[in-house]
């Protein structure tokens, strides 16, 4: 029997439940957490290449356990992390305290941020768009909080799993970008939603993921029009 469409709130509740349940072990996977000095240095190199040397006001949306947030802070950026799952945020705060990094972490909805207009120069999101019921709304919202001429940096991929798992079994049909997208598709999506100067680069180095990558990973940036 076909299930009726759920409201966005119901979909988001299941997304939050999924990531709360995974928070305690999320960083254990080699491709999620940072486990070696080599892995950390490779991620710092990638982020430095795409963000530049000057300190930026940065917002890390869907920050999870704070992996990217803490790397950006290590590079000297002024970072705030936002996530929908409180258990993820608790782990991010603990990691920031242990690393002596000044990163503010707040609970928030990626599609409706409690952030003023033009508040940051850089917005980052890692493996987030596939979890959103309204990714076009999110891109509009991200452009609102990034000042004109600032950048949106996405670490994304195309994993094309055989079957949805856990809570996603019930809601994957209501997530337009479920399973990620190939770079050409995401590039078209970002351009259609107003970003300019879109660039991307594969992230195929095993050192980044602690193993040979099983999927097509990449970084993509787009500029908010002036």
């Amino acid at each position: 029997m076909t299930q009726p469409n759920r409201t966005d709130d119901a979909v988001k509740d299941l997304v939050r439940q999924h990531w709360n349940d995974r928070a305690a072990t999320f960083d254990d996977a080699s491709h999620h957490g940072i486990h070696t000095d080599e892995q950390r240095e490779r991620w710092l190199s990638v982020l430095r290449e795409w963000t530049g040397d000057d300190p930026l006001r940065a917002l890390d949306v869907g920050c999870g356990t704070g992996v990217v947030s803490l790397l950006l802070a290590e590079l000297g950026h002024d970072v705030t992390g936002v996530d929908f799952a409180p258990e993820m945020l608790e782990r991010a705060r603990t990691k920031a305290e242990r690393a002596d990094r000044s990163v503010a972490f707040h609970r928030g909805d990626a599609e409706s941020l409690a952030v003023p207009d033009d508040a940051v120069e850089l917005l980052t999101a890692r493996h987030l768009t596939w979890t959103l019921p309204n990714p076009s709304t999110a891109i509009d919202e991200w452009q609102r909080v990034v000042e004109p001429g600032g950048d949106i940096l996405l670490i994304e991929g195309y994993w094309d799993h055989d079957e949805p798992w856990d809570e996603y079994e019930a809601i994957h049909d209501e997530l337009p970008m479920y399973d990620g997208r190939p770079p050409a598709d995401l590039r078209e999506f970002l351009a259609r939603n107003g970003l300019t100067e879109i660039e991307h680069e594969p992230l195929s180095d095993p050192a980044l993921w602690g193993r040979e990558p099983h999927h097509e990973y990449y970084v993509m940036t787009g500029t908010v029009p002036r």
Side-chain angles (χ1 to χ4, degrees):
M1 178 181 294
T2 301
Q3 294 292 328
N5 288 341
R6 293 170 174 81
T7 65
D8 285 353
D9 285 345
V11 171
K12 290 177 182 181
D13 282 345
L14 287 174
V15 171
R16 179 171 56 245
Q17 178 180 320
H18 177 88
W19 295 108
N20 270 337
D21 290 347
R22 292 186 64 184
T25 59
F26 181 79
D27 283 338
D28 293 348
S30 64
H31 57 296
H32 289 159
I34 301 293
H35 295 271
T36 66
D37 288 342
E38 180 188 20
Q39 190 176 26
R40 180 166 91 33
E41 289 299 327
R42 283 295 294 119
W43 275 112
L44 288 172
S45 177
V46 168
L47 292 171
R48 186 182 295 111
E49 176 186 352
W50 287 90
T51 64
D53 295 324
D54 296 332
L56 301 173
R57 289 173 282 112
L59 181 67
D60 186 25
V61 182
C63 65
T65 63
V67 173
V68 172
S69 303
L70 293 176
L71 291 168
L72 290 170
E74 187 169 348
L75 290 173
H77 302 298
D78 179 9
V79 187
T80 299
V82 173
D83 201 274
F84 208 43
E87 292 296 328
M88 287 282 189
L89 290 170
E90 283 304 307
R91 280 152 182 79
R93 293 184 183 109
T94 298
K95 288 163 64 176
E97 183 176 354
R98 288 174 178 167
D100 196 25
R101 298 292 175 193
S102 180
V103 180
F105 291 103
H106 304 289
R107 186 174 173 185
D109 183 340
E111 297 180 358
S112 180
L113 295 165
V115 177
D117 294 356
D118 304 339
V120 298
E121 299 159 287
L122 172 71
L123 184 145
T124 60
R126 184 170 85 151
H127 300 167
L128 175 63
T129 56
W130 72 275
T131 72
L132 302 175
N134 303 291
S136 291
T137 299
I139 295 298
D140 289 344
E141 179 71 345
W142 300 351
Q143 291 182 81
R144 179 187 68 78
V145 304
V146 176
E147 66 179 31
D151 290 321
I152 293 173
L153 183 154
L154 305 179
I155 297 168
E156 280 296 347
Y158 181 48
W159 24 95
D160 194 22
H161 292 120
D162 292 335
E163 297 288 342
W165 70 99
D166 298 335
E167 287 77 14
Y168 283 102
E169 185 174 357
I171 60 175
H172 69 282
D173 286 338
E174 294 164 66
L175 303 173
M177 301 186 76
Y178 181 79
D179 263 347
R181 286 292 181 276
D185 290 2
L186 185 63
R187 183 187 189 98
E188 180 183 350
F189 170 78
L190 296 180
R192 191 167 63 245
N193 284 275
L195 293 180
T196 63
E197 302 176 44
I198 299 169
E199 301 179 71
H200 86 279
E201 178 180 59
L203 296 176
S204 55
D205 184 350
L208 292 166
W209 310 104
R211 65 183 194 185
E212 286 290 338
H214 297 171
H215 306 288
E216 183 179 17
Y217 295 117
Y218 55 92
V219 59
M220 184 170 291
T221 65
T223 299
V224 176
R226 295 183 183 275

